[in-house]
Amino acid sequence: MTIKDLTLEFVDNVVLSGDVISGSIKFVVVNSFKCDGVYVTFYGSSKIAKYLFLKLYHSTGSHHARNTHVNKRYECHLNHKVCIYKPQNKTLHPGVIEFPFCYRIKKYIPHSFKSKSGRTSYSATVQVKKHLLPDDKTKVPFTVIGFKDLNDYPWMMKSVKFSNVHRFGILLWKTLPVKVEVFLHKQAYVPGEVIISDIRICNTSPVSISHAVFKLVRYEYYYVAAGHRKHRRRTVNKTPLPGIPARAERGYRDVNLLIRPTPPTHMGGGSCIDVQYKVAVLFVPEGSYLKFGFVYNVVIGSISFQRHV
């Protein structure tokens, strides 16, 4: 054994895409050896779960699969090898060796992400090359925050009011309409912010509403072939609302919904995995398990909007 305790430590293992990640490489030399160099390889990729990939693959049809790049289960976003130390036939003697390093991450790469259907991950692998001897390696993961600047979407900072009408029933029997109105103070947010909305539900039907809910939903899209994709819905957070009697109207002012940590819209960069967000107002009629309501698109970013005076 020539070296031991090979470690790579980051100053901060969470970095915004486009920023610099820094740290140090440290190891202990036990026996003298000739070093051909110390390198760090930064690597990042997206991967769709195998079962979902095969499901999408077969849904394209064999005739279509031959004409499109359907093999897109993996997608590489970052693959760069950086030389930290390269001596000229220099021998490293016993002792503690440490090399600092810094590297600027590509700007528009996807946010680190993991779910049952796929993941986007990043890592740094340090390699100590030894002359005529096997190399020593160690791999350390790090987290990338996708770049999504809300200052590029100033129109999304305006308030918006939207509404919809629903009828529920069976076959030819339909109730009188239930009208839902929602007022959002803005349409773009960052994790940690609170969505504040005013909601009014006018229930003109003879059926009471047992309960309602206001929530933020994340739509996860998985692309494999042109025109073919699957999506899954995940609730980021939700706020329950009281029920409404039949032929009654109720308003909910300043309904708060905290945005928990979540990737930005479109992951902050192109990928075979994509995410979008919608706020949803749903209600459940008395005696039913079906949810009715509607959704509206919002943008989640990583850099908050700054008002310029």
Side-chain angles (χ1 to χ4, degrees):
M1 182 175 64
T2 55
I3 69 172
K4 67 176 183 179
D5 300 335
L6 176 60
T7 59
L8 186 152
E9 296 180 353
F10 295 113
V11 174
D12 188 353
N13 66 343
V14 179
V15 59
L16 179 69
S17 63
D19 282 357
V20 174
I21 187 170
S22 60
S24 62
I25 300 165
K26 185 184 294 185
F27 55 90
V28 178
V29 178
V30 179
N31 296 313
S32 299
F33 69 96
K34 285 188 177 182
C35 180
D36 290 338
V38 179
Y39 299 85
V40 177
T41 300
F42 296 90
Y43 182 80
S45 65
S46 294
K47 177 182 177 182
I48 298 176
K50 187 174 182 180
Y51 80 93
L52 181 60
F53 172 80
L54 293 175
K55 188 176 181 180
L56 284 165
Y57 181 91
H58 293 302
S59 69
T60 62
S62 58
H63 65 283
H64 183 77
R66 287 195 296 268
N67 300 323
T68 57
H69 35 275
V70 71
N71 293 315
K72 206 179 178 183
R73 185 184 171 203
Y74 298 94
E75 187 172 355
C76 180
H77 309 296
L78 179 65
N79 190 4
H80 193 196
K81 191 173 185 178
V82 181
C83 179
I84 305 299
Y85 173 71
K86 190 173 183 179
Q88 294 181 353
N89 298 323
K90 184 174 181 180
T91 300
L92 294 182
H93 299 285
V96 178
I97 306 296
E98 184 174 0
F99 299 107
F101 71 89
C102 61
Y103 175 72
R104 184 173 294 278
I105 301 294
K106 290 168 61 176
K107 189 169 186 179
Y108 294 105
I109 56 177
H111 189 97
S112 296
F113 177 74
K114 185 178 180 180
S115 74
K116 293 182 179 179
S117 300
R119 59 109 178 105
T120 299
S121 60
Y122 297 89
S123 64
T125 302
V126 57
Q127 176 185 19
V128 179
K129 285 192 172 185
K130 296 181 288 185
H131 187 66
L132 300 179
L133 291 173
D135 298 340
D136 284 272
K137 295 182 179 180
T138 188
K139 183 178 179 180
V140 179
F142 62 93
T143 301
V144 171
I145 299 175
F147 186 87
K148 192 74 171 181
D149 191 353
L150 295 186
N151 293 284
D152 297 334
Y153 306 87
W155 60 91
M156 300 296 289
M157 295 300 123
K158 297 180 180 179
S159 60
V160 63
K161 184 177 182 180
F162 49 96
S163 62
N164 206 344
V165 175
H166 288 275
R167 298 172 184 266
F168 44 88
I170 301 176
L171 298 177
L172 300 178
W173 178 79
K174 296 289 184 180
T175 66
L176 292 173
V178 176
K179 185 177 181 181
V180 181
E181 294 181 348
V182 180
F183 176 81
L184 291 178
H185 294 270
K186 60 179 183 175
Q187 307 165 62
Y189 308 86
V190 296
E193 281 190 315
V194 176
I195 300 177
I196 303 176
S197 65
D198 297 332
I199 303 172
R200 178 169 295 276
I201 300 178
C202 181
N203 181 18
T204 60
S205 72
V207 180
S208 61
I209 295 174
S210 61
H211 65 278
V213 64
F214 176 59
K215 63 182 182 178
L216 176 65
V217 183
R218 182 178 70 217
Y219 287 74
E220 303 170 2
Y221 295 93
Y222 301 89
Y223 297 87
V224 174
H228 292 267
R229 70 179 185 181
K230 291 286 184 181
H231 78 273
R232 292 174 175 271
R233 293 190 295 268
R234 295 287 183 270
T235 299
V236 178
N237 202 358
K238 61 182 179 180
T239 300
L241 303 173
I244 305 170
R247 299 184 179 88
E249 181 177 348
R250 175 168 292 178
Y252 311 91
R253 290 189 59 84
D254 296 334
V255 180
N256 292 342
L257 182 63
L258 176 66
I259 303 176
R260 294 172 177 169
T262 187
T265 300
H266 301 310
M267 300 286 284
S271 171
C272 57
I273 301 174
D274 188 22
V275 297
Q276 298 178 23
Y277 295 90
K278 298 180 181 182
V279 290
V281 178
L282 306 175
F283 58 88
V284 180
E286 195 73 41
S288 173
Y289 294 98
L290 298 177
K291 294 181 179 179
F292 299 85
F294 68 104
V295 296
Y296 189 83
N297 291 323
V298 294
V299 173
I300 302 298
S302 55
I303 299 177
S304 60
F305 181 75
Q306 303 293 329
R307 296 185 183 276
H308 300 287
V309 181

